[in-house]
Each structure stands twice: as C-alpha cells, then as structure tokens.
Amino acid sequence: MGLNSHSAYLFILWTSHLFLLTAGDSRVNPRIVTVPKGERRFSLEKHESLTTLYHEENSTSLFVGAEGKLYYVDFENSANYTEDFPKEDSRGCTKPEDQKNYLTFIGKYNNTLLICGTNACQPTCWKWAARKKTLVYGQGLAPFVPDQNSLVLVDGQDIYSTISLYQNNGKIPRFRRVRGAVQLYTSDTVMQNPKFVKATVVKQDESTEKIYYFFREDNPDKSPEAPLNVSRVAQLCKRDKGGTSSLSASKWTTFLKATLVCVDPATKGNYDWLQDVFMVPSDKDWRRTRVYGLFTNCWGYSAVCVYTIGDIDEVFRKSNLKGFSGEMPDIRPGQCPPGNDSTPLKTFKIADSHPEVEDRVQPASPRHRPLFHNKNHYQKIGVHRIQAGDGHTYNVLYLVTDKGYIHKMVEMPQGVLNILEIKPFESPMPVLAMTMDHTRAKLYVSSASEVVEVPMDMCEVYHRSCDSCVLAKDPYCGWADGKCVSLKDNWTALQNMTLQSSQEICPYSDSKQDSPDNYLNVTVALFSRYFLQCRTESHVATYMWHHNDSHIQTCPSPYQPCIHYIKNMTDHHYGRYTCVSEEGGVSQILVREWLVKQPQPSQTLMQKSQAAATSLSIWLGFLQVVTLVLLFQ
Ligand SMILES: *[C@@H]1O[C@H](CO)[C@@H](O)[C@H](O)[C@H]1NC(C)=O
Ligand SMILES: *[C@@H]1O[C@H](CO)[C@@H](O)[C@H](O)[C@H]1NC(C)=O
Ligand SMILES: *[C@@H]1O[C@H](CO)[C@@H](O)[C@H](O)[C@H]1NC(C)=O
Ligand SMILES: *[C@@H]1O[C@H](CO)[C@@H](O)[C@H](O)[C@H]1NC(C)=O
Ligand SMILES: *[C@@H]1O[C@H](CO)[C@@H](O)[C@H](O)[C@H]1NC(C)=O
Ligand SMILES: *[C@@H]1O[C@H](CO)[C@@H](O)[C@H](O)[C@H]1NC(C)=O
Ligand SMILES: *[C@@H]1O[C@H](CO)[C@@H](O)[C@H](O)[C@H]1NC(C)=O
Ligand SMILES: *[C@@H]1O[C@H](CO)[C@@H](O)[C@H](O)[C@H]1NC(C)=O
Ligand SMILES: *[C@@H]1O[C@H](CO)[C@@H](O)[C@H](O)[C@H]1NC(C)=O
Ligand SMILES: *[C@@H]1O[C@H](CO)[C@@H](O)[C@H](O)[C@H]1NC(C)=O
C-alpha cells in the first residue's frame, strides 16, 4: 500500500490555512480541501462545552442535548425549538461549577425518548413526548458530573452503562446492566483503570446474543519496554443471569477480555491507544460484522485497524486463559450457558480469576496490517457503506481530526484513498460529536456553537470537468449533462471506480477546448517580471507548465502551488501558457494565460503608473509565496 513512514514534513499553503502532511503516504492525504456544499446549519443559543446528539435513522431531524437545554431541529423543513432543562434543585454538588444540568444521554427506550442529565449531581432522566417532560429515575443513566467515561447502551428492554450509581463510593468503573433483566456488574479485579470507548450487542443466533465493549486500560505488563496502555475488547452474554453463589449473584459470569493488536508490520510501530470504534454490520453473517478501530500512538499519529466479530468470537472461544494451566470445565469460561441455565460456579471461578485470554485479536486484513496510518491525529470515526455506479459496495470512512476537519476516505481493494478534507464549521473548531444517517447519506457534526448537516454526496466540489469528477473516485458522484452530480439524482451518471484513465468514459477531452477565447489575456511590459501560478488540487497528480505547446517546467512537489517565474520578459516569453495536471494517464488543463506585449510607443503616464502598480502587486504576491515556500521547506 506504500504507507510507509517518512520523516520529511511539508507545510502547505492552501486557501489560507496551513496543515501538516507526510511525504511518504500520499494516499492518505486528501486530494481536495473544501467547505461543505449544500450543508445546513443551526446555531446554538450559547457556547456549549458538551453536546450529545440523537438522530433517528432516515429521519430529517436531530436532537442536541447541552447544558440545561435541549435543541431540536428538522433540517428539511426548518422547524426547530429549544426546551430548557434546568436543574431541579441544587443540593447535590460540592463544587459550584457542577450545579448545572448537563444533558449527557438522549435515546429511545420503550418507544419514548429518554433524556438524561447530571441535574446538579442528582442524575435524572425525563421522558420526552409531545414536547412535555415527565421525570423518571436516572441512577446509572447519567453521571453526577460530566466525564469522558460514560457509556450508555440501550438494547430492547435492557440498558447497559458504565456510570457509577453512587457519588462517593463505587469509584472503580464497572460495566453494568442497569435496566431490564437482573442488574449485574463486572468484578472489580477484571479491569485496571478502564476508559470505555464503545459498546454494542451482536445477535449471533436465536438463542445467543453477546455484548462486546471496547476500552483501554493500564497494561498489567509493567516492564520498561511495554506500553503503558492496552486496548481491549470484552465480551458478555446478554442472557447472563449472574452467579449462583451469594458473592457472585450480581456479577457477570461470562466476562472475558482480549487485547486488540494494531501494529504496522513495516515499521513495527505500535498503535496502542484506542480512540473510537465504529461497527459495520453484515446483513448475511454476523461473523462478518466489521469493527473499525481508530488508534493513536504516543506521537499522536493515527491508524485504523479493522477486525471482524467472527475473529473476535473465535479468540474468545478457542484461546487459553492467560495464567491458567488447569483443566477446562465442560462449560468454558466465556461460553453462554444453554437455555436458561446459569454459569456453573466452577467455570465462573476460573473466568473471574483469569479474565484475559492469551490470544490477541489481529486485524482481518492481509498480513494483519492496519487499513492505513498517517500523521494526523484523528479523534472520531464513522463508516458509511455505499453502492457505486459499478455495482460494487464501498466503505467510506469519515475521520474527525483534532483541528475540527473531516477526512473522507474510500476503502479500495489496494488501499485507502483520502479524497476530501471537509471544513464543516465556518471557523475551525473542535468537533464535539458526530453521527450519521446511512439511508439519507448525511453527516451530523456539532461544535460549541452550531450543528451542521453535511451531505455525503457533495459532488459540486469536483465540478470543473468530467475528468476531475471521475478521477475524484468519489463513489457518490458521477458526470452527467456537463455537471458532477450525485448518483442518487442520476443513477446512470458516468463513473468508474476502478478506472485508470478518465478518457475511457469522459465524452470529450480538455484539449478540444483549446480555443483563444478560453485564454485569459494578460498585458505584460517588456523587461518586466512576471509569474504564472497554478493551484495544485490533487496530491497524486503531476503539475507542469507549457509554453506555445512545448513543455517548459515540471513542478517538483504537488504540495505547493506550481509557479513559473519569468525574471525579465523578452520577446520570446510572450504567447500561450498552460498549466497541465497529469494523473493516471489523464491530463487536464487548469490554467490558460496568453501573455501579450504592452504596446510601448502609445504609453501614457497614466497607463505607466497603472502597469507599475500592477506589476508591484504581482511582485509582492510572488515574494509572499516564495517566502512561505522557503520558510516551510
Ligand atoms: C426512508 O424514508 C422515506 C420517506 O419517509 C421512505 O420512502 C423510505 O422507504 C425510507 N427508507 C428506509 C430504508 O426506511
Ligand atoms: C429555526 O426556526 C426559525 C423560525 O422559528 C427559522 O427562521 C430558522 O430558519 C430555523 N432554523 C433552521 C436551521 O431550521
Ligand atoms: C415499557 O412500557 C410499557 C407500557 O408502556 C410498560 O408496561 C413497561 O413497564 C415499560 N418497561 C420499562 C422497562 O419501563
Ligand atoms: C496512556 O494513557 C494515559 C492516560 O489514559 C495517557 O495520558 C497516555 O498518553 C497514554 N499513552 C499512550 C502511549 O497512549
Ligand atoms: C426461560 O425462563 C423463562 C421465564 O423465566 C421462560 O419463559 C422460558 O421459556 C425459559 N426458556 C427456556 C429455554 O427454558
Ligand atoms: C443522466 O446521465 C446521463 C449520462 O450518463 C444523461 O444522458 C441523462 O440525461 C441524465 N439524466 C438526467 C435526468 O439528468
Ligand atoms: C471500469 O474500468 C475498468 C478498467 O478500465 C473496466 O475493466 C471496467 O469494465 C469498467 N467498469 C464499468 C462498469 O464500466
Ligand atoms: C484573447 O485575445 C485573443 C486575440 O489575441 C482573442 O481571440 C480572445 O478572444 C481573447 N480572449 C479573451 C478571453 O478575451
Ligand atoms: C532584461 O533584459 C534586457 C535585455 O537583455 C536588459 O537590457 C535588462 O537590463 C534586463 N533587465 C533586468 C531587470 O535584468
Ligand atoms: C510563442 O508565441 C508567441 C506568439 O503567440 C511568440 O511571440 C513567441 O516568440 C513564442 N515563443 C516561443 C518560445 O515559441
């Protein structure tokens, strides 16, 4: 895949912002940087430090929970409202800054919307129906104060949570069942200082459903070369009824954990720190459910490793237990007991004292490589499956950077293509939360001051030509009637994701447009300085300048604007200039300028001063570019 690490950094000047790229892994740098097209925005009434999003699949609306407020917006018909959720009283907290009601959870439970908040250290939930709230018990569903370690998972009648039930004791984080079947919690010895990342339920067959949750914890291996943190997946049986002895009656009896491995085999670089997880279910076979794990390393660089639930399940079913050499009981640790049975005491005792399996979970890709890695610091991941015009289904990754941008990447058979950097907010701000609508192909992101609905099919950004539209390899987009359009609007639009050259499908080529009318005529004085500038768009293309149809310059790097500098205009410098990009055997003309000699004898004083001013400003612009290029080289 050519994703090897290099130490060279290049800073790029790009529409007024600077960002960092590595020379080595061009595949993972975005081709195009854009602000959204066709997006819809909704401003929050005040600056929010915390937002929680709730969006129902295939709906047009979004709920946003914030401090003391619930926002509702329907982006389709502009309906919106704000409802206050003040704290009910203020007896709970010792610190004055906690005397607020932070809404931390919104979700459907038992057919009504449940909204939960800290309520000044007295966690409370409200049922929200017909714009009326009814207070319900909130213990275990919202934390006492906002924290980063609160997961809530609703599955049918059951609710699972990692939130402590009491404010002053129970400091050891646990994974619990807090509503529905009998309440259970994890033994305090099975995890060390866990930071929970994601939880999910996978239905394996009619009688077996398993809960998987992902977390980081302190590495029990304290040797100096061992990383401080390890990333884990844990499993539990949904029908776990707790132990049979009085001591184990409220404990999960089917807990096991395994290490998730994410190592680049080329550099042996470890990505130990799990940041986020996104599950892509498979309709046909639960084993093929894909688990996208986003990891960072100690430098803050990122990697995505993809696992399957089938591989995870196999590790739990077959591996030995770490530190256990005795005989395995008939019902193995981690096995869901048949029917309504409880886990035998003997099995529970072994599992409880040996909760970690020996085998580690490796990525499903060939040679267990990460899907990709690069030097961005990503914080969140979302994955959307989309059928392209070629009939194949592609996984499109949306990765949120620490700068508040979104990188859109397509998983291709030979690797990942980073096709777009989206700047969702008007000024760069951290993304507080992200969710998506798979049916309507929308992304929802929130910042401290707004929520934005971003269409995944922003095809207008590749508007320039059939070549730029087709070569973008954006599975949502194709070329039809002189425009780059969403395949949703025209299923027969031209597109081919495996294409090497767009000439195969594009009806006309750029060279046919080479009439003088398409040139920008520029009058330049003899013996003056001039420079021609071409904005580079794709990081995998080559850029060059042609003069009167002959090649005069190839730019060394696609990361900087391609500049042709003329120190002293002489007669042979006049004529036609074109900036040409070449990518995958396809060339496109990006700039056409026709330099015309200034008629010298008829020059008036007025024209002279204008020309001087023009050439001065051009010269200053050039100086600026040169300075930046030199500065950052
Ligand atoms: C999504 O909603 C639209 C309009 O309400 C409906 O026609 C369509 O069938 C729905 N799609 C799915 C997959 O539920
Ligand atoms: C919110 O509602 C107001 C009117 O109540 C409307 O003017 C505004 O456009 C709406 N905003 C959005 C983003 O829907
Ligand atoms: C769900 O709602 C039904 C009817 O509204 C009620 O009988 C049942 O107790 C509710 N279940 C829970 C767990 O709240
Ligand atoms: C390990 O975890 C601690 C706290 O959770 C964090 O500060 C540290 O950066 C992590 N180290 C690595 C290598 O991820
Ligand atoms: C399990 O127990 C429930 C009630 O406790 C009962 O309805 C169900 O039929 C039992 N299932 C089996 C497989 O025994
Ligand atoms: C769809 O795209 C094709 C070209 O692939 C074009 O001929 C046709 O007119 C387009 N249809 C619509 C409704 O735009
Ligand atoms: C896409 O292009 C490839 C290579 O040029 C070709 O083999 C394939 O048949 C094309 N697919 C479609 C659907 O046109
Ligand atoms: C540039 O000048 C040429 C004649 O030299 C003319 O044919 C052409 O239309 C001009 N282009 C524009 C865009 O005005
Ligand atoms: C440009 O070239 C001309 C002719 O070769 C020369 O006379 C003039 O001094 C040059 N100007 C500069 C600024 O180098
Ligand atoms: C390019 O063409 C222009 C006329 O269009 C001519 O003046 C100039 O000398 C030519 N330059 C070269 C290097 O061919």
Side-chain angles (χ1 to χ4, degrees), residues 211-495:
I211 301 157
Y212 294 96
Y213 70 87
F214 300 86
F215 63 105
R216 305 186 298 269
E217 65 173 335
D218 296 348
N219 194 350
D221 180 356
K222 302 292 180 202
S223 59
E225 67 275 15
L228 290 173
N229 307 296
V230 272
S231 295
R232 307 275 203 195
V233 53
Q235 69 129 52
L236 297 163
C237 297
K238 207 179 154 181
R239 286 167 67 159
D240 198 326
K241 299 161 70 176
T244 49
S245 71
S246 58
L247 273 179
S248 63
S250 297
K251 287 184 178 174
W252 293 99
T253 59
T254 51
F255 178 94
L256 281 184
K257 66 179 178 184
T259 301
L260 292 170
V261 180
C262 190
V263 178
D264 172 32
T267 60
K268 302 269 188 297
N270 271 289
Y271 294 84
D272 293 317
W273 208 10
L274 187 65
Q275 295 284 332
D276 195 12
V277 165
F278 197 90
M279 312 277 293
V280 178
S282 156
D283 322 327
K284 294 185 191 75
D285 184 0
W286 61 269
R287 288 181 187 80
R288 286 162 61 181
T289 295
R290 285 162 75 80
V291 178
Y292 286 76
L294 167 63
F295 295 82
T296 54
N297 67 7
C298 49
W299 312 103
Y301 302 161
S302 310
V304 169
C305 281
V306 185
Y307 312 90
T308 66
I309 288 289
D311 289 349
I312 292 172
D313 183 64
E314 189 160 306
V315 164
F316 285 130
R317 270 189 304 113
K318 296 194 175 155
S319 172
N320 290 327
L321 303 178
K322 212 168 195 169
F324 178 71
S325 54
E327 198 184 321
M328 278 289 184
D330 289 344
I331 303 270
R332 281 180 58 104
Q335 186 180 336
C336 303
N340 274 350
D341 292 356
S342 295
T343 304
L345 188 59
K346 188 177 165 204
T347 306
F348 168 69
K349 279 186 166 165
I350 296 170
D352 199 45
S353 49
H354 304 89
E356 185 184 345
V357 298
E358 220 165 67
D359 295 352
R360 306 185 309 161
V361 182
Q362 297 278 357
S365 49
R367 302 209 291 118
H368 303 316
R369 322 170 63 117
L371 185 60
F372 74 88
H373 62 90
N374 71 18
K375 291 189 174 177
N376 289 296
H377 188 163
Y378 296 119
Q379 296 176 324
K380 294 179 175 65
I381 182 171
V383 183
H384 183 228
R385 276 172 80 71
I386 165 95
Q387 196 178 26
D390 59 11
H392 293 289
T393 302
Y394 292 88
N395 292 320
V396 181
L397 280 60
Y398 294 91
L399 289 141
V400 174
T401 73
D402 55 348
K403 309 283 190 304
Y405 303 140
I406 301 168
H407 285 177
K408 177 180 185 180
M409 303 190 186
V410 189
E411 216 181 315
M412 303 285 279
Q414 65 281 20
V416 168
L417 217 55
N418 191 352
I419 56 175
L420 205 57
E421 179 174 79
I422 304 164
K423 300 159 130 184
F425 307 124
E426 262 141 21
S427 56
M429 288 177 117
V431 173
L432 297 180
M434 174 169 83
T435 184
M436 53 172 62
D437 189 301
H438 296 264
T439 314
R440 295 171 55 250
K442 307 281 186 198
L443 219 52
Y444 296 94
V445 285
S446 59
S447 73
S449 58
E450 58 177 345
V451 288
V452 188
E453 181 193 69
V454 180
M456 295 178 182
D457 53 345
M458 294 190 296
C459 301
E460 307 94 285
V461 303
Y462 322 112
H463 63 93
R464 206 166 46 205
S465 65
C466 177
D467 304 300
S468 77
C469 178
V470 168
L471 284 179
K473 304 236 169 131
D474 188 322
Y476 302 85
C477 304
W479 187 257
D481 298 330
K483 289 198 293 275
C484 196
V485 299
S486 172
L487 262 72
K488 184 184 77 203
D489 300 327
N490 186 346
W491 187 245
T492 61
L494 299 172
Q495 186 208 47

Side-chain angles (χ1 to χ4, degrees), residues 550-622:
S550 1
H551 173 267
I552 49 165
Q553 181 185 342
T554 298
C555 279
S557 159
Y559 300 101
Q560 295 155 353
C562 183
I563 293 163
H564 179 64
Y565 175 49
I566 303 167
K567 246 198 257 174
N568 190 351
M569 282 300 289
T570 54
D571 280 329
H572 78 274
H573 284 120
Y574 292 97
R576 285 171 297 125
Y577 287 84
T578 49
C579 173
V580 180
S581 78
E582 260 183 29
E583 179 176 347
V586 177
S587 54
Q588 286 186 76
I589 298 181
L590 306 177
V591 174
R592 291 182 176 85
E593 278 191 41
W594 199 313
L595 302 192
V596 184
K597 196 164 161 185
Q598 199 161 43
Q600 286 209 312
S602 63
Q603 252 181 6
T604 66
L605 201 62
M606 175 77 176
Q607 277 170 325
K608 235 183 202 161
S609 64
Q610 267 176 347
T614 316
S615 80
L616 180 69
S617 73
I618 288 174
W619 176 234
L620 283 176
F622 178 68

